[in-house]
Amino acid sequence: MTEQKTDIAFVLYENMTALDLVGPYEVLSAVPSATGHFVAATREPVRADNGLTVQPTTTFAELTRPGIVVVPGGSGWRNALEARDLIGWLAAVHPTTSWTTSVCTGSTLLAKAGVLAGRTATTHWACRDVLAGLGVEVSTDRVVFDGDVVSAAGVSAGIDMALRLVARVWGEEAAQRITLGLEYDPQPPFDTGSPDKAPAEMVTALHAAVNAL
């Protein structure tokens, strides 16, 4: 029996963080029955916050029923909160998606679109208070499943989120195979990847820098 095809929308907006997008893309695009789409307000190239440019393959107006949505975070999230086309599209497509997901501060966009009403979600550690201020029950977990919504903490957590989603949708063997293919075997050279582990002064400085964006 042929496996049902799944259209996955990877949302683009100015000054998103590239790894928020590309991490989940590399995982989910490895599923043979999945088709990835880079969706934005227009087909004009979109610049990530560190300069990488991504070419949209479709627009919000054209892609109206994706099976899965992935919303990255980035330094442009505050401006994206005011992007009516983007927020309106998220609100419109969520009722018919199988899964709506976010990485990092992408969860603030889901909150603005009403997707996280009454739900628990996570975000980058430096923006937890912002997400809470949008009426969301905030978790410190790296990946949070709440019904058909999945959120990941900061940046690199998007890879974990995508692998867990693959396991949930296509089975653990598929997720294990993708993990091996990516050689995803984290061995960070510095144990400062969490605010619980990093020096307090570093945490304070980075928190201020992130919230000044």
Side-chain angles (χ1 to χ4, degrees), residues 4 7 20 24 47 50 56 61 67 71 92 97 103 128 130 140 146-147 165 176 190 192 200 202:
Q4 184 176 356
D7 288 310
D20 286 15
R47 184 184 183 280
N50 282 324
V71 183
T97 64
V103 181
R128 290 171 185 164
V130 176
T140 61
D146 189 329
L165 184 60
Q176 291 169 355
F190 305 103
T192 56
M202 184 182 294

Side-chain angles (χ1 to χ4, degrees), residues 2-82:
T2 303
E3 189 173 6
Q4 184 176 356
K5 297 291 184 180
T6 301
D7 288 310
I8 305 177
F10 295 91
V11 175
L12 309 182
Y13 59 90
E14 287 294 321
N15 292 316
M16 64 189 177
T17 292
L19 185 55
D20 286 15
L21 177 83
V22 175
Y25 174 79
E26 289 295 335
V27 172
L28 294 168
S29 65
V31 176
S33 61
T35 301
H37 305 271
F38 292 125
V39 59
T42 72
R43 288 179 179 261
E44 292 298 313
V46 178
R47 184 184 183 280
D49 52 16
N50 282 324
L52 180 71
T53 299
V54 184
Q55 179 66 54
T57 58
T58 188
T59 66
F60 297 139
E62 295 167 333
L63 184 61
T64 59
R65 294 184 68 89
I68 297 173
V69 171
V70 179
V71 183
S75 62
W77 66 271
R78 292 184 191 275
N79 288 335
L81 286 175
E82 306 305 321

Side-chain angles (χ1 to χ4, degrees), residues 78-150:
R78 292 184 191 275
N79 288 335
L81 286 175
E82 306 305 321
R84 293 184 179 181
D85 46 8
L86 167 55
I87 300 302
W89 182 82
L90 291 174
V93 301
H94 171 63
T96 58
T97 64
S98 297
W99 298 94
T100 299
T101 78
S102 66
V103 181
C104 195
T105 51
S107 55
T108 66
L109 307 187
L110 295 187
K112 184 66 178 288
V115 173
L116 296 181
R119 296 182 189 264
T120 299
T122 190
T123 190
H124 190 285
W125 62 266
C127 295
R128 290 171 185 164
D129 52 345
V130 176
L131 188 60
L134 292 170
V136 179
E137 183 69 29
V138 179
S139 171
T140 61
D141 291 347
R142 189 163 173 83
V143 178
V144 174
F145 279 76
D146 189 329
D148 57 356
V149 177
V150 194

Side-chain angles (χ1 to χ4, degrees), residues 187-199 202:
Q187 299 174 38
F190 305 103
D191 194 21
T192 56
S194 161
D196 298 326
K197 299 176 180 179
M202 184 182 294

